[in-house]
Amino acid sequence: MTITLRPGSTVLFTGDSITDCQRLASEEGLGFGYPLRVAGEWGFRYPDRPVTWLNTANGGDKVMDLEARWQADVLDARPDLVSILVGVNDMGWHTIDPKGYVIPVEEFEAGYDRLLAPLAEAGTKLILIEPFLLPIHGVVEAGAALIGEDERKEWRADLDPKIQVVRELARKYGAHLLSADGMFAELAAPTRPEHWAADGVHPTPAGHAALAAAWLRLVA
């Protein structure tokens, strides 16, 4: 069953850099990624159902960072629908930040659960987007770190149980799940994965278009 957005609804996107996409530098405050594409396509399809679109994502954020600002960034806006994409920094923080550490899946789950509980209590509709990692080739820079095949294998082993947490929390709270990791794995099979995310994490324009199309299939 799809989510119905009524005229005057407020939709809020939040998460990390994949959602941020330089939102503070953009006129609409939505950045250049999939939230902007969603808002544009919605306005094109449904000019008679105006929606307020918000984006409070911040590059580099982990679940613990979202939680620290959750009241001001999300709850105070009283949105009708919240869309969350977080987890890739919970996966790689220990690699790219000298002060980082391996975030246990239990810590990730507990923090994410605390984000969702007040929204569910308020009756807010939810879309949870799986964090994802594409199997690109070669070595790329991530902050001051160089990420190659060995690091990506480690990241994948760390990410898979956190993806499972997102799926379980979606079931627990009756949220709509956007299975982004599986979607990109399927898209990348007949093409170069770099077509969708050059560094395996941050989508290209084609990757953002794929996310937006998948997101829009969940609402009507």
Side-chain angles (χ1 to χ4, degrees):
M1 183 179 296
T2 57
I3 296 171
T4 299
L5 293 181
R6 302 184 184 281
S9 294
T10 295
V11 176
L12 188 148
F13 297 92
T14 196
D16 52 36
S17 60
I18 299 168
T19 304
D20 180 344
C21 286
Q22 300 179 20
R23 64 180 176 85
L24 295 178
S26 65
E27 183 176 349
E28 306 85 355
L30 293 175
F32 62 78
Y34 73 93
L36 179 65
R37 292 171 181 266
V38 166
E41 183 64 24
W42 180 270
F44 174 71
R45 294 182 189 181
Y46 308 110
D48 57 335
R49 280 197 278 163
V51 169
T52 297
W53 305 94
L54 303 175
N55 185 350
T56 63
N58 286 284
D61 269 8
K62 303 171 289 300
V63 164
M64 67 177 75
D65 301 309
L66 294 186
E67 190 174 4
R69 297 188 302 273
W70 202 241
Q71 184 69 47
D73 280 4
V74 177
L75 301 181
D76 286 351
R78 302 180 67 181
D80 300 286
L81 169 61
V82 173
S83 176
I84 306 170
L85 170 52
V86 68
V88 72
N89 295 303
D90 296 81
M91 168 196 73
W93 187 36
H94 63 288
T95 309
I96 61 178
D97 187 342
K99 298 180 181 179
Y101 61 87
V102 175
I103 297 175
V105 67
E106 295 82 8
E107 181 179 331
F108 176 79
E109 181 175 15
Y112 209 137
D113 191 277
R114 288 191 295 268
L115 299 179
L116 300 178
L119 294 171
E121 185 176 349
T124 308
K125 299 179 178 67
L126 297 168
I127 293 177
L128 305 187
I129 305 177
E130 293 176 352
F132 51 85
L133 179 65
L134 278 74
I136 64 164
H137 307 94
V139 176
V140 297
E141 291 186 12
L146 296 177
I147 308 302
E149 298 297 329
D150 291 342
E151 289 80 10
R152 278 191 290 274
K153 288 179 182 177
E154 177 192 338
W155 281 10
R156 171 51 69 181
D158 185 272
L159 185 63
D160 282 344
K162 288 169 181 168
I163 291 173
Q164 188 60 37
V165 163
V166 176
R167 294 171 180 170
E168 291 170 357
L169 289 173
R171 287 192 291 269
K172 176 179 178 178
Y173 287 103
H176 284 62
L177 178 70
L178 198 166
S179 302
D181 190 63
M183 177 189 76
F184 280 122
E186 184 175 346
L187 288 172
T191 63
R192 295 176 65 251
E194 291 84 356
H195 178 77
W196 307 102
D199 63 359
V201 170
H202 296 92
T204 61
H208 278 291
L211 279 175
W215 197 98
L216 285 162
R217 286 193 288 270
L218 301 178
V219 300

